[in-house]
Amino acid sequence: MSILIGKDTRLVVQGITGRDGSFHSAQMLAYGTNLAAGVTPGKGGGRFEDRIPIFDTVRRAVQETGANTSIIYVRAPFAPDAICEAADAGIGFIVCITEGVPVKDMARVLPYVRSRGSRLLGPNCPGIVAPGDKVKVGILPTAIFKAGSVGVVSRSGTLTYELVFQLTSNGVGQSTCVGIGGDPLIGTNFIDILQMFEEDSETKAIVLIGEIGGTDEQEAAGFIVKNLSKPVVAFIAGQTAPEGKRMGHAGAIVSGASGTAKEKIEAFEKAGIAVARIPSEIAPLLKKTSSAVSG
Amino acid sequence: MKIHEYQAKELFRAQGIPVPPGEVAESPSAAAELSRRYGKTVVIKAQVLVGGRGKAGGVKLAKDPQEARQHAESILGMDIKGLTVNKVLVTEAVDIAKEIYLGVIMDRASQQAVIMASAAGGVDIEEVARDRPEAIHRLTVDPLYGVLAFQSRALARELHDDPAVARQIAVIIEKLYAAFDETDASLAEINPLVVTPAGEVIAIDAKVNVDDSALFRQGEVEAMRDLSAEDPGETESRKMGLSFVRLSGNVGCIVNGAGLAMATMDLVKTYGGQPANFLDIGGSSNPDKVVTALKIILGDSSVRSIFINIFGGITRCDDVARGLVAALQQVEQVPPVVVRLTGTNETEALDILKQVDITTAATMDDGVKKAIELAH
């Protein structure tokens, strides 16, 4: 079993006719994702690649195709509305790839999503891949994955690709790889995913990839000690980041003494969680902490 | 995005928050003239986008135009944490009976705006938070309702015993939240909010940071951007949609993706080198971005080698390679370049790179080590 996505995933792509939306829709189809429908307001009635039906609204897409998962590629000013539309249409799991959504909008959108009983991943995230089921809802390059038993959760995009690539190169396969996003306000945090990995029988060990800014990693460290039986290896990016500067991601800012990589690494070490100092240490540490990890 | 104190005060003033009269001066004579006009003791305050101005000697009282001129002379051109002071705010001094801290932040944990207030104002609020967390009152604001009247009343009452003063504070709390909300701020802060001996409440300092992602709809705030207070490399990279932060080392880094860029800098440090910068060329890179990135890095004369680390997911390695070749042909005297490309169209990229004199690396570790060696 994978978490959040799998064989039952029926995906609707919001913004399917845009440049990014159409490119990644083709990639997801090629990997094996069950792409049920697309949505672009004003383009309903058309078809993507001559076969996937396009609708004007998410509600219509759900009614006609039974879509249960959505991915959003629309531009930042329109992404908050797209998230709410998906939640209101009864989509249970919404992935928002869009970068640069105003934080104030997310403060309004997150309670809305929760009130409809939906779960949001992102925004500003690379999405999620389940290599065993060959399902991808996102923009991650699928060539780097290998089916296996390590759950990966990360705030980053390309750093995740790099680390997964290193795992695969070392013979360590993954159960599910989840990018939670680099923004200050996100729908799903480390703790949510850690809990799901704990309950997932396929996942035997976990890699957590954090970065500077906020205190999510510190909270995750506390959660792991109390609630997780599976071994975790952590990696934190941004040890050389100066204070007060936004390091690309909107959420990656060290403010005062808070949010530093040092503080986060100490939180994990204090909790007895293995921390890789450099990316290439992750695979060896995993093999050391878990006999269940193959390779 | 950060704005200056005098700009934040303009926003507050427009909202109706009491702020002492003040204007910006860019020369000692202009400061003296403002002091003459106000005809009373003024404060000369360095306008730089960094905290700790007072400790650095960037805030001084002046009794008369003569003193105002002297202080402005010493403060203008001063270096505060690496930033040059180009402007001073000349503002009427206020008698202080009590100092209060009042701030609004976007809180990641509660995913809502939180108003923080303390009767212990005028000091470093992070110190108070660490040493005496009970001295800070927190009020979480529901984005759908804003600050409700009873909430601001109750919070103000915690900050001051005198009902007449508390009433003024309650109004300021609501107006500060309005300023925060209307400008898409990530932080709006008054430290200190002063109660005068006569019982008036006045904001004598102001700080506002605005969410970069919201600037597309915050034209007035965006127009406040002070380019002279920014690293020129950061200005240029922003125009090109790159993300750049200058550091003090000698190994330049060009990377796709923020997390990988940070991890690359860290790895340079781990292997004994010093990264010169953070530079994220973004997801879907085009050759122009690589040209700009290279030029920005070459603008820093301390750079001795450059490491280009591209993990091609969406980014096509051949695009980056083409941009790199074009850039190397356009710029003279390039320090040694080490390139590591993995992913989409990797083989084509390596073929393209054969045209130019660069070192290639198979892995990130390998590339970092080679770049450090070449920087020596």
Side-chain angles (χ1 to χ4, degrees):
Chain A
M1 275 297 288
S2 42
I3 64 166
L4 291 166
I5 57 169
K7 295 260 180 254
D8 300 335
T9 295
R10 293 179 62 77
L11 185 67
V12 51
V13 178
Q14 292 177 255
I16 195 167
T17 53
R19 196 195 59 162
D20 291 342
S22 56
F23 175 80
H24 288 291
S25 293
Q27 300 274 317
M28 288 187 286
L29 271 172
Y31 189 57
T33 308
N34 180 356
L35 209 174
V39 169
T40 297
K43 301 212 170 150
R47 287 192 180 262
F48 176 74
E49 291 199 344
D50 297 330
R51 54 192 174 122
I52 312 294
I54 300 173
F55 300 92
D56 284 315
T57 66
V58 179
R59 181 164 296 280
R60 203 55 204 280
V62 170
Q63 282 165 353
E64 301 284 329
T65 69
N68 56 16
T69 301
S70 132
I71 186 161
I72 294 169
Y73 291 102
V74 308
R75 291 195 297 120
F78 311 108
D81 183 58
I83 296 169
C84 292
E85 183 185 356
D88 193 60
I91 296 283
F93 181 48
I94 305 161
V95 178
C96 184
I97 303 298
T98 312
E99 181 177 1
V101 178
V103 177
K104 184 169 101 176
D105 294 355
M106 288 314 300
R108 285 161 170 74
V109 165
L110 292 172
Y112 186 91
V113 169
R114 276 193 287 272
S115 75
R116 296 298 188 279
S118 303
R119 170 170 293 286
L120 173 70
L121 185 66
N124 189 17
C125 78
I128 174 168
V129 175
D133 290 339
K134 294 268 179 212
V135 179
K136 164 168 98 160
V137 178
I139 59 174
L140 305 92
T142 50
I144 59 175
F145 293 96
K146 167 182 155 68
S149 59
V150 174
V152 178
V153 59
S154 171
R155 268 168 74 182
S156 168
T158 50
L159 176 59
T160 313
Y161 311 163
E162 171 77 43
L163 300 182
V164 168
F165 175 69
Q166 292 196 14
L167 291 181
T168 297
S169 307
N170 279 279
V172 178
Q174 307 87 36
S175 56
T176 312
C177 176
V178 191
I180 59 173
D183 273 6
L185 302 197
I186 49 177
T188 298
N189 60 28
F190 281 128
I191 290 176
D192 299 325
I193 300 296
L194 288 169
Q195 181 67 46
M196 291 178 215
F197 278 145
E198 175 70 14
E199 289 161 11
D200 173 38
S201 59
E202 192 190 4
T203 302
K204 307 290 182 211
I206 299 161
V207 173
L208 183 152
I209 304 159
E211 63 186 31
I212 55 162
T215 55
D216 280 7
E217 289 81 357
Q218 293 88 316
E219 278 141 33
F223 180 84
I224 291 167
V225 175
K226 280 203 200 104
N227 303 289
L228 252 61
S229 63
K230 297 176 183 177
V232 178
V233 173
F235 176 78
I236 307 291
Q239 296 168 55
T240 46
E243 189 201 324
K245 292 281 187 183
R246 168 174 163 169
M247 307 300 279
H249 292 154
I253 301 177
V254 173
S255 40
S258 162
T260 63
K262 187 168 171 269
E263 179 189 337
K264 290 167 192 270
I265 291 169
E266 280 171 6
F268 282 110
E269 286 181 338
K270 222 180 258 175
I273 298 157
V275 180
R277 293 287 157 172
I278 56 175
S280 52
E281 273 180 14
I282 296 176
L285 273 174
L286 266 176
K287 289 180 186 173
K288 211 165 92 183
T289 52
S290 170
S291 53
V293 175
S294 58
Chain B
M1 182 188 128
K2 295 178 180 178
I3 59 174
H4 288 296
E5 173 196 357
Y6 77 91
Q7 297 168 320
K9 280 183 169 166
E10 280 168 22
L11 294 176
F12 289 179
R13 206 176 270 132
Q15 205 58 249
I17 296 172
V19 172
E23 267 180 64
V24 160
E26 296 185 41
S27 69
S29 57
E33 176 51 35
L34 284 169
S35 152
R36 191 169 297 120
R37 202 200 305 161
Y38 294 132
K40 51 168 89 167
T41 302
V42 293
V43 193
I44 313 286
K45 305 179 84 177
Q47 298 297 291
V48 279
L49 300 174
V50 66
R53 294 173 299 165
K55 278 184 196 155
V59 179
K60 290 198 167 116
L61 271 177
K63 288 190 299 293
D64 52 40
Q66 175 65 20
E67 247 190 3
R69 178 189 301 274
Q70 281 168 6
H71 289 327
E73 222 161 56
S74 72
I75 294 172
L76 285 166
M78 180 186 263
D79 179 289
I80 300 180
K81 295 183 184 168
L83 297 173
T84 307
V85 182
N86 298 317
K87 289 178 190 140
V88 290
L89 172 63
V90 181
T91 179
E92 282 185 15
V94 174
D95 289 330
I96 298 173
K98 187 178 165 57
E99 294 180 294
I100 289 165
Y101 172 88
L102 192 60
V104 190
I105 55 154
M106 190 53 89
D107 180 50
R108 302 164 75 126
S110 64
Q111 304 192 319
Q112 290 178 326
V114 169
I115 297 177
M116 301 210 298
S118 177
V123 295
D124 183 350
I125 197 65
E126 286 181 3
E127 273 174 35
V128 180
R130 194 176 55 233
D131 303 336
R132 286 191 298 142
E134 72 286 352
I136 297 180
H137 306 277
R138 292 167 59 94
L139 169 61
T140 303
V141 184
D142 187 315
L144 298 183
Y145 299 103
V147 183
L148 299 168
F150 80 88
Q151 293 178 310
S152 57
R153 239 177 10 240
L155 181 58
R157 192 63 189 72
E158 296 285 345
L159 300 171
H160 210 282
D161 289 335
D162 183 340
V165 173
R167 264 199 300 278
Q168 295 174 63
I169 296 173
V171 172
I172 292 172
I173 290 170
E174 290 174 22
K175 289 182 169 170
L176 183 64
Y177 177 76
F180 171 90
D181 189 56
E182 287 168 22
T183 59
D184 269 294
S186 51
L187 169 83
E189 186 179 77
I190 304 173
N191 190 24
L193 179 67
V194 159
V195 184
T196 67
E200 282 178 299
V201 185
I202 304 176
I204 68 166
D205 200 0
K207 186 174 175 184
V208 172
N209 295 348
V210 175
D211 177 9
D212 291 305
S213 297
L215 290 175
F216 70 85
R217 63 184 179 203
Q218 292 292 345
E220 275 182 43
V221 180
E222 169 87 72
M224 290 181 173
R225 191 189 288 281
D226 181 1
L227 293 177
S228 72
E230 248 183 18
D231 185 303
E234 292 179 21
T235 310
E236 202 184 330
S237 61
R238 190 179 56 247
K239 282 186 201 148
M240 275 302 291
L242 308 171
S243 182
F244 172 80
V245 177
R246 193 181 299 284
L247 302 167
S248 54
N250 59 11
V251 178
C253 302
I254 298 177
V255 188
N256 68 325
L260 188 59
M262 279 190 270
T264 303
M265 287 160 43
D266 293 350
L267 202 59
V268 170
K269 187 93 182 253
T270 305
Y271 286 138
Q274 292 293 336
N277 66 277
F278 165 93
L279 202 161
D280 169 15
I281 59 167
S284 50
S285 92
N286 63 43
D288 290 347
K289 283 193 178 180
V290 185
V291 174
T292 310
L294 204 58
K295 283 183 176 167
I296 290 168
I297 288 192
L298 292 175
D300 182 350
S301 57
S302 52
V303 171
R304 294 276 172 268
S305 71
I306 297 173
F307 177 43
I308 302 177
N309 187 17
I310 304 295
F311 200 101
I314 331 160
T315 307
R316 287 172 42 169
C317 293
D318 54 332
D319 275 351
V320 177
R322 256 179 235 113
L324 191 56
V325 171
L328 290 171
Q329 284 161 354
Q330 281 179 40
V331 214
E332 287 169 25
Q333 294 198 327
V334 181
V337 177
V338 180
V339 181
R340 180 278 180 124
L341 295 163
T342 299
T344 315
N345 298 351
E346 177 184 328
T347 329
E348 292 90 326
L350 291 174
D351 271 346
I352 293 167
L353 290 176
K354 282 181 185 149
Q355 300 171 40
V356 284
D357 178 27
I358 50 157
T359 310
T360 54
T363 66
M364 182 168 160
D365 287 65
D366 181 33
V368 165
K369 285 179 186 162
K370 282 179 173 159
I372 294 171
E373 210 175 282
L374 289 165
H376 283 315

